[in-house]
């Protein structure tokens, strides 16, 4: 491939216009008008100087007479690593922190209330290598690590809730590692943390060599701006993970991810899974993916019969927001750093639930019983054979 | 709107070409080449004479050394009603049977092994009216009704399993109605039936005034050609309905539907939900929607503040197939009758499961327990508050 496609949106906007574009937007995104929200000139200038994209879209709700609107400004950031992976660990990490701080500053200037970073935002996606040294050195304490300390300051400065996705080292339990979301309050306190529930075992995603399935259930975090939860990366494929966040009252569920375009990748599923979760659970979702190529010092194989190599291929970005009605906004690019902002009225969640009745018609009692049966070692699937008659 | 858009595919193919088209197809459908399968000249001629579309696509699997390929030809039909809804019930029904027989004959000529018809294929979607008379007269016995008898003959003639979606009258239980899939074997026997598990209560979809939630569990039907199941219409929004068919061993799950493009409709969700189900459950899915406008004798309202009217708006067709890897084929049109065929190797299901490990990583034990807790009237959602600290 000569050059990476900039974005799905670029393909559409460069080729479609008039009624064809309107119909495409209606059928694909769910609305003909993306409801773009203006960005400050100063933010656009900083974004240009620092080579990241910035865009904002509105997700309004109907006016109610018994509740005021609950407008929240939510931001997500996608970005590449900065220095080569053979540099010292702290140099790699600090270079990312320094770069991303500029994007967070712009989010602050734009009045973002809740900000979520990508999975393992402060490091390369090292798990493809299966090497423990030196990569485990990226692990930090969720409560007191340098990355958390760095973000607490920014959270207070901008009165912003920040979700930070790190490789956690749990010193209180033998120093084991976890894939962890740290929820930092706008007060600078840690509200809590959530550990990834479903760990991949496929291709270059060798995370099961580093940490186990999470033990923090399906926590929803009550922030000043709304109830949020984090379905981490591979949990995207697990509909019950999404569902339990909804049952626990989440209004916005982030899906910080690291996923690639290469063969066996996930690009055609990216528009499907977080969006289906928004629809069936009637809440906002925000899938976030890193961008760029990451080359490692030593070669590794991808269990696909192909020769060893030093890079997994393109992390394709394309982060976006989806409303509880399944309507989504355009995504960020496939190749560039970016800040995407949604101005959402959280009242929409209940409005969609009242209209569509997906929760009311769930029949959870039937399924709790069905799953119990499936778990039985003597489980007999409900199969009807013709010759039984 | 001047004229209905023919199809999502027409928008793309009329405007994109070269590398842009390839990249669109890769990112949207999951492959740059749709793997079109040739159709017989005679079938194309019949389709043209009878004003329906016909297309076929392949979904191949890797070669295995311990199992032969399991190639199955699967067909789905979408169609409009034929005569006005003020004609006598049997005249309306027979006109549809006569029209659809021509499409089934072509499916037979093409060697289709398993055929699924749309929801309530032998009648208009009458539930928008909320009128019981005369519409309940469309109901039939699943085992011995005229529609089942009509299809049993065609099933034997073409050695074809046929899934027939009817309004069932259950004479053995007070003559109540159900929304039912009748699974007719290639031998002409009835393998069994499945009743819709989740009933809508929204807009014009007033089905809950006519019948209750199904009582047939999540039956999978072992046909000569493979194990099939039917997630009927509104069940599309319920991820646990899809999941239980997978747990019971379904290889192909049909989703016969009746859904509209109008405001509050579902068109932007159509590509998302059945496709997400294919991905997370690693099986083939086939959503089917009726086409056209249906005008009723008496006006009705749609609970959306708008004036009374006699039609729900466009049923937008767009039926398609999706593989267990999430790769889908182009859909049928939004406006015309059509027969869509997939030549699928069912070996792909296990191959995708072995690769992606979505079943292995499901943690069903955790969720069976979580759902049990949710059902408790004293359930306390898992919410973390900052001021608890």
């Amino acid at each position: 491939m000569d050059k990476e496609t900039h974005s799905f949106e670029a393909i559409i906007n460069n080729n479609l216009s008039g009624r064809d574009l309107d119909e495409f937007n209606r059928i694909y995104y769910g609305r003909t008008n993306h409801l773009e929200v203006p960005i400050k000139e100063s933010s656009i200038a900083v974004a240009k100087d620092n080579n990241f994209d910035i865009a904002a879209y509105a997700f309004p709700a109907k006016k109610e007479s018994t509740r005021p609107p609950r407008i929240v400004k939510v931001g997500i950031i996608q970005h590449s690593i900065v220095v080569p992976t053979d540099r010292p660990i702290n140099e790699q990490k600090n270079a990312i922190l320094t770069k991303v701080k500029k994007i967070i500053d712009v989010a602050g200037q734009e009045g973002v209330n809740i900000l979520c970073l990508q999975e393992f935002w402060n490091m390369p996606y090292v798990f493809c290598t299966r090497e423990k040294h030196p990569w485990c050195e990226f692990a930090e304490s969720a409560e007191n690590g340098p990355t958390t300390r760095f973000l607490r300051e920014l959270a207070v400065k901008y009165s912003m809730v920040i979700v930070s996705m790190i490789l956690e080292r749990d010193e209180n339990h033998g120093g084991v590692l976890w894939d962890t979301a740290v929820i930092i309050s706008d007060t600078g306190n840690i509200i809590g943390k959530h550990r990834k529930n479903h760990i991949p075992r496929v291709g270059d995603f060798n995370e099961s060599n580093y940490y186990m399935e999470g033990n923090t259930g399906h926590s929803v975090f009550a922030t000043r701006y709304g109830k949020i939860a984090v379905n981490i990366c591979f949990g995207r494929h697990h509909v019950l993970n999404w569902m339990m966040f909804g049952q626990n009252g989440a209004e916005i569920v982030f899906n910080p991810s690291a996923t690639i375009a290469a063969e066996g990748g996930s690009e055609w599923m990216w528009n499907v899974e977080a969006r289906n979760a928004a629809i069936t659970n009637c809440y906002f979702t925000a899938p976030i993916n890193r961008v760029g190529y990451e080359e490692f010092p030593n070669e590794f194989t991808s269990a696909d019969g192909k020769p060893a190599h030093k890079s997994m291929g393109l992390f394709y970005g394309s982060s976006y927001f989806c409303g509880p009605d399944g309507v989504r906004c355009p995504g960020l690019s496939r190749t560039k750093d970016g800040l995407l902002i949604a101005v959402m009225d959280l009242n929409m969640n209940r409005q969609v639930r009242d209209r569509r009745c997906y929760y009311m018609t769930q029949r959870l009692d039937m399924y709790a019983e069905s799953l119990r049966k499936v778990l039985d070692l003597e489980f007999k699937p409900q199969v009807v054979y013709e010759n039984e008659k």
Side-chain angles (χ1 to χ4, degrees), chain A:
Chain A
M1 207 172 281
D2 298 337
K3 190 174 163 292
E4 290 293 349
T5 297
H6 173 267
S7 67
F8 185 78
E9 281 70 19
I11 299 175
I12 297 309
N13 295 323
N14 291 342
N15 291 285
L16 268 56
S17 61
R19 167 153 173 171
D20 276 354
L21 180 59
D22 282 350
E23 279 289 272
F24 179 89
N25 285 341
R26 185 183 65 75
I27 296 173
Y28 183 78
Y29 296 99
R31 57 187 182 191
T32 51
N33 181 338
H34 292 311
L35 301 186
E36 210 160 333
V37 173
I39 304 283
K40 292 180 183 166
E41 287 298 336
S42 56
S43 300
I44 293 170
V46 175
K48 200 172 170 192
D49 287 350
N50 293 280
N51 200 31
F52 66 88
D53 291 329
I54 180 167
Y57 302 96
F59 291 84
K62 289 188 172 65
K63 283 209 173 121
E64 302 183 11
S65 76
T66 60
R67 295 194 301 183
R70 294 182 57 219
I71 308 292
V72 180
K73 220 167 200 183
V74 183
I76 53 180
I77 292 176
Q78 68 177 31
H79 62 89
S80 60
I81 59 172
V82 180
V83 301
T85 58
D86 59 1
R87 304 299 304 159
I89 297 294
N90 282 339
E91 182 184 336
Q92 291 187 54
K93 185 183 286 186
N94 290 334
I96 298 173
L97 266 55
T98 301
K99 176 169 87 163
V100 173
K101 180 173 182 301
K102 293 194 179 117
I103 313 182
I104 297 177
D105 284 337
V106 168
Q109 298 301 336
E110 289 294 321
V112 163
N113 304 122
I114 305 174
L115 179 73
C116 186
L117 300 168
Q118 71 197 22
E119 193 186 26
F120 304 117
W121 75 276
N122 59 357
M123 58 185 280
Y125 186 84
V126 298
F127 312 99
C128 51
T129 67
R130 300 200 324 286
E131 301 159 354
K132 303 297 170 75
H133 180 81
W135 313 119
C136 290
E137 290 189 64
F138 274 110
E140 298 184 22
S141 156
E143 289 75 17
N144 306 307
T147 301
T148 298
R149 291 200 307 271
F150 169 83
L151 290 175
R152 289 175 70 168
E153 214 166 285
L154 293 168
V156 171
K157 179 171 181 186
Y158 296 119
S159 295
M160 190 192 276
V161 171
I162 303 181
V163 179
S164 173
M165 308 299 309
I166 63 166
L167 183 61
E168 178 194 5
R169 187 177 294 281
D170 183 4
E171 291 293 2
N172 289 343
H173 293 88
V176 294
L177 306 182
W178 299 99
D179 184 345
T180 300
V182 186
I183 286 72
I184 303 170
S185 171
D186 55 294
T187 62
N189 293 330
I190 311 290
I191 303 182
K193 62 187 177 188
H194 173 75
R195 291 167 173 162
K196 186 178 195 167
N197 272 326
H198 300 271
I199 311 295
R201 290 148 163 87
V202 53
D204 284 321
F205 300 89
N206 301 305
E207 298 171 34
S208 67
N209 281 23
Y210 295 83
Y211 44 81
M212 298 293 282
E213 281 73 12
N215 59 357
T216 49
H218 293 85
S219 294
V220 167
F221 301 94
T223 77
R224 180 177 154 197
Y225 305 110
K227 287 186 181 157
I228 65 172
V230 192
N231 182 340
I232 308 175
C233 195
F234 193 71
R236 188 170 68 252
H237 311 305
H238 289 281
V239 292
L240 282 164
N241 204 36
W242 290 107
M243 177 181 277
M244 280 310 302
F245 294 122
Q247 294 293 346
N248 287 331
E251 298 176 294
I252 308 163
V253 182
F254 298 99
N255 174 234
S257 300
T259 184
I260 53 168
E263 199 208 346
S266 59
E267 196 160 0
W268 62 91
M269 293 147 63
W270 186 248
N271 172 57
V272 171
E273 294 169 289
R275 210 167 165 188
N276 188 78
I279 294 167
T280 188
N281 298 298
C282 306
Y283 53 45
F284 286 88
T285 62
I288 312 164
N289 188 21
R290 62 176 56 214
V291 291
Y293 292 89
E294 301 179 356
E295 189 166 309
F296 291 93
N298 306 315
E299 64 180 9
F300 56 89
T301 55
S302 300
D304 60 359
K306 294 195 178 145
H309 43 254
K310 294 186 174 182
S311 165
M312 290 175 68
L314 179 73
F315 291 100
Y316 58 78
S318 308
S319 310
Y320 67 91
F321 286 97
C322 183
D325 52 357
V327 173
R328 61 161 282 184
C329 67
L332 289 174
S333 85
R334 299 178 70 249
T335 54
K336 269 180 74 182
D337 295 357
L339 166 64
L340 189 66
I341 297 172
V343 183
M344 50 177 78
D345 186 342
L346 295 179
N347 279 355
M348 210 213 296
N349 290 350
R350 197 175 82 178
Q351 290 174 11
V352 172
R353 284 177 207 199
D354 284 350
R355 173 172 169 76
R356 294 186 179 165
C357 302
Y358 291 169
Y359 276 64
M360 184 173 93
T361 58
Q362 252 171 350
R363 303 187 73 181
L364 283 191
D365 51 345
M366 174 170 69
Y367 293 106
E369 175 65 11
S370 299
L371 292 187
R372 197 193 54 71
K373 286 185 189 164
V374 170
L375 287 165
D376 189 335
L377 290 179
E378 306 296 321
F379 171 60
K380 291 256 187 302
Q382 185 186 351
V383 182
V384 182
Y385 294 89
E386 180 176 353
N387 52 19
E388 282 174 342
K389 304 260 157 174

